[in-house]
Amino acid sequence: MNYIIVVDWGTSHLRAYLCKVMTDGQFEHVDSAYALGVSKCEPNFQQELMHCIQPWAEQFGKLAIYLAGQIGSSIGWKEAPYLPCPVAPGKIAQSCLEFNCQGHKISVIPGVSCQLDDNNYDVMRGEEIQVLGWLQLHKSHSVGRHLLCLPGTHTKWVLIENGEIQLFKTAMTGELYDLLSNQSVLIQQPTSNFDCAAFAKGAKYTLESELGNFSHGIFSVRSKQLFGELSPEQASSYLSGLLIGSDVRAAINAHQWQLNATTKVTIIGDAHLSQCFADVLTMQNISSEICEVSKTTLLGFSSVYQAKKV
């Protein structure tokens, strides 16, 4: 039986999956392991990875390892290239950076870049795996235009045309939430409890405010607490609504695609965060569907594996 290790190695976390390679090239998930992200283990990348996969190596030997995410960036282990858009899945698979480490053949999957019509550049590493996985879910995904939303630390809005990544735009929604929650005057009592009504209030405030009101609007997290419209426990959810509302509003106003009531947005990410984006899109009468991120991740890795074998 053939086994393989695939690793989604981001800035904060390493998620490794031991998979069985089926006769059709698809991956069957066998086991998972977790370790430190790129920013937390630099420069001991080799040590961190080998320690993480040691039980699997002892049981199955020197398996091939596929790496995706920030581990292939300028702050990672080995820098893989950015492929310019438009880019097809096969091109991504054929552009992996390969090297050997303690008997394991390692393939680092490249990132993707695009230049928008305002001459600004955008880049992604790791999210392309979920995009490739989504393309594998159904043949119809490789025909026509589709808009994907990948929420997270750096949310990606990705335009797909006929199976190719045409362009994408990044919003620092998750990172802003973390910074404002932990390093500003806005949140005095951080909490993991989620208040749906406060979230909706924050999203509504942003969606209905005048353009350019973002920096002014954020202070309402503080002022609404001072005047009793928000409790300290509700403030985190309200802030999340403000930021996701701003993210969605920018996507609606982006001229690179037409996001309206006839559009269906596919959301791929953490279940709770994906539902938050779906709820805000619904507030704007835009339909969406949520795809399970682990499934699309493994499908994406398997599509790279299969393309490399051709």
Side-chain angles (χ1 to χ4, degrees):
M1 187 64 67
N2 191 19
Y3 291 85
I4 193 169
I5 296 170
V6 298
V7 182
D8 181 5
W9 201 340
T11 303
S12 302
H13 304 284
L14 180 160
R15 300 172 183 86
Y17 305 88
L18 174 68
C19 299
K20 185 185 298 182
V21 182
M22 311 306 288
T23 54
D24 60 358
Q26 295 293 315
F27 292 174
E28 180 182 301
H29 180 214
V30 177
D31 197 7
S32 300
Y34 304 91
L36 297 176
V38 169
S39 64
K40 298 178 181 179
C41 67
E42 191 272 335
N44 301 313
F45 303 118
Q46 177 176 321
Q47 178 181 342
E48 189 71 16
L49 177 62
M50 292 301 125
H51 178 73
C52 178
I53 68 166
Q54 182 179 351
W56 302 338
E58 290 176 351
Q59 183 175 0
F60 299 104
K62 303 300 185 181
L63 301 179
I65 304 173
Y66 283 42
L67 305 178
Q70 287 301 311
I71 192 63
S73 72
S74 59
I75 63 170
W77 189 3
K78 304 278 187 179
E79 187 172 3
Y82 285 111
L83 303 181
C85 288
V87 62
K91 178 65 173 177
I92 293 174
Q94 297 302 323
S95 302
C96 291
L97 173 66
E98 298 182 343
F99 63 98
N100 290 300
C101 178
Q102 296 187 12
H104 297 274
K105 182 179 179 181
I106 296 182
S107 299
V108 183
I109 297 170
V112 179
S113 68
C114 70
Q115 186 174 17
L116 303 171
D117 49 15
D118 59 3
N119 291 322
N120 281 327
Y121 289 91
D122 211 327
V123 295
M124 65 177 168
R125 282 194 188 275
E127 295 91 353
E128 72 284 343
I129 287 296
Q130 282 85 52
V131 175
L132 298 184
W134 177 82
L135 287 169
Q136 295 292 309
L137 283 173
H138 199 278
K139 290 182 179 179
S140 64
H141 293 173
S142 294
V143 180
R145 285 166 59 97
H146 306 272
L147 185 62
L148 311 185
C149 173
L150 290 82
T153 302
H154 297 155
T155 300
K156 307 289 182 181
W157 296 83
V158 186
L159 180 65
I160 306 294
E161 288 188 353
N162 297 321
E164 294 187 345
I165 302 174
Q166 291 294 316
L167 59 87
F168 54 92
K169 303 184 80 172
T170 300
M172 295 179 63
T173 311
E175 186 168 355
L176 283 172
Y177 177 81
D178 181 65
L179 290 170
L180 292 171
S181 295
N182 296 296
Q183 300 183 41
S184 77
V185 300
L186 299 181
I187 306 298
Q188 299 298 313
Q189 296 182 23
T191 177
S192 59
N193 296 329
F194 184 72
D195 188 299
C196 294
F199 174 84
K201 181 185 291 187
K204 186 172 186 290
Y205 182 97
T206 302
L207 292 170
E208 296 181 355
S209 64
E210 65 270 22
L211 288 173
N213 191 50
F214 179 67
S215 60
H216 292 179
I218 286 177
F219 192 70
S220 67
V221 180
R222 175 68 172 157
S223 60
K224 286 182 181 297
Q225 291 178 81
L226 293 174
F227 289 91
E229 293 185 27
L230 279 178
S231 70
E233 294 78 16
Q234 293 174 314
S236 295
S237 298
Y238 178 81
L239 174 61
S240 177
L242 274 176
L243 294 172
I244 292 176
S246 176
D247 195 339
V248 169
R249 184 177 185 180
I252 291 171
N253 290 320
H255 68 270
Q256 288 87 357
W257 48 72
Q258 285 69 53
L259 187 51
N260 51 48
T262 65
T263 308
K264 182 171 74 173
V265 178
T266 298
I267 307 172
I268 308 171
D270 167 82
H272 170 71
L273 192 55
S274 294
Q275 189 59 56
C276 287
F277 273 80
D279 290 345
V280 176
L281 286 166
T282 298
M283 293 171 68
Q284 296 299 101
N285 298 313
I286 297 169
S287 63
S288 62
E289 64 174 354
I290 297 173
C291 289
E292 205 275 315
V293 66
S294 295
K295 181 177 181 178
T296 55
T297 296
L298 292 182
L299 278 173
F301 276 114
S302 69
S303 73
V304 172
Y305 173 84
Q306 292 176 63
K308 281 173 61 63
K309 295 297 180 181
V310 174

